[in-house]
Amino acid sequence: MNECTLPSSLPEEVEQALLRCGGIEGFLRDLPKDHELLKRSALYRALADPIRLKILAMLRDQPLCVCIMKSILGIADSKLSYHLNVLKKAGLIEGGKRGSWIIYSITEAGREFV
Amino acid sequence: MNECTLPSSLPEEVEQALLRCGGIEGFLRDLPKDHELLKRSALYRALADPIRLKILAMLRDQPLCVCIMKSILGIADSKLSYHLNVLKKAGLIEGGKRGSWIIYSITEAGREFV
DNA sequence: TCTTAAATTCAAAGTATTATGAAATGTCAT
DNA sequence: ATGACATTTCATAATACTTTGAATTTAAGA
């Protein structure tokens, strides 16, 4: 599955450490699986923007409508919409209609990062 | 500092919530500062890649030389070097010479994300 | 119905990140 | 010195992400 040829010689301490965790096989076995790494990196990517972190912070204590977030952030509608969508896709916030407004709130998952 | 004009009317529940946290001024005061948001988003950006998360996982239990990481990841030297550098700049790993090898280890900061 | 406000969608432009291969650096052993 | 290996650096190409402004959708009120 994960074919890998080791270098012919290694630093002493690294060699030792590898033996201690069951050789290279044991070492590979304990690494997180690729789909897990992809999932986590996608989550971090959603968090990797100051505007989005600020949105999460704003939603910490109460849900808010887009228009308030817009006036506080001072950015264009479409830009805000883009970032809200990134956060929503990542499962960090969720939004629902309320009359002609759309109100976003933070999810459990999102709350871990405020 | 953060000039912002609020919408003329707001959803009832949002209006209430804003009052509860000291009006718009109180709300703004409690938000994280910009440099803080920038710092955190930079950290998340460094974590936003499966290869880099895998490197952190590999370093969890012991330091490793580049050659081992290369053979396990199966990627080009220069590519690995690039990602190691991203992690290093973010303060998540650190590397030191050991003979003709360079051995990387995880930092305290990095350990929080494995 | 007509108008207005709240949000989203879309395509194009702008910017940042990542991948690639060749060249360079430094270290060790011969 | 020379050769071999470990790693980095660099320029460039490829890809991904973000911004922008115009157009669209939807709901509410006159």
Side-chain angles (χ1 to χ4, degrees), chain A residues 11-88:
Chain A
E12 184 74 14
E13 52 196 289
V14 171
E15 190 112 43
Q16 302 282 320
L18 275 184
L19 283 179
R20 252 182 283 119
C21 60
I24 193 67
E25 307 80 17
F27 186 73
L28 291 177
R29 187 174 354 97
D30 287 350
L31 290 178
K33 298 295 166 278
D34 284 356
H35 76 272
E36 178 64 25
L37 294 170
L38 276 173
K39 218 174 63 181
R40 285 183 50 211
S41 64
L43 179 61
Y44 288 131
R45 199 164 325 120
L47 293 164
D49 182 287
I51 292 180
R52 294 198 288 268
L53 289 181
K54 196 161 182 178
I55 292 173
L56 285 183
M58 290 195 292
L59 295 176
R60 188 189 57 178
D61 295 327
Q62 72 291 304
L64 292 174
C65 55
V66 179
C67 51
I68 272 217
M69 297 194 261
K70 180 193 158 189
S71 55
I72 291 178
L73 291 170
I75 60 179
D77 292 352
S78 58
K79 185 168 169 178
L80 176 50
S81 215
Y82 166 76
H83 287 292
L84 287 172
N85 195 244
V86 172
L87 289 169
K88 192 162 71 172

Side-chain angles (χ1 to χ4, degrees), chain B residues 25-69:
Chain B
E25 307 81 16
F27 186 72
L28 290 176
R29 186 170 359 94
D30 287 351
L31 291 177
K33 298 294 166 279
D34 285 357
H35 76 270
E36 177 62 27
L37 294 170
L38 276 172
K39 220 175 63 180
R40 285 182 50 210
S41 64
L43 179 61
Y44 288 131
R45 195 152 43 244
L47 293 163
D49 183 286
I51 291 180
R52 295 199 287 269
L53 290 180
K54 195 161 183 178
I55 292 174
L56 284 183
M58 289 195 291
L59 295 176
R60 188 188 60 178
D61 296 326
Q62 72 291 303
L64 292 175
C65 55
V66 179
C67 52
I68 272 216
M69 296 194 261

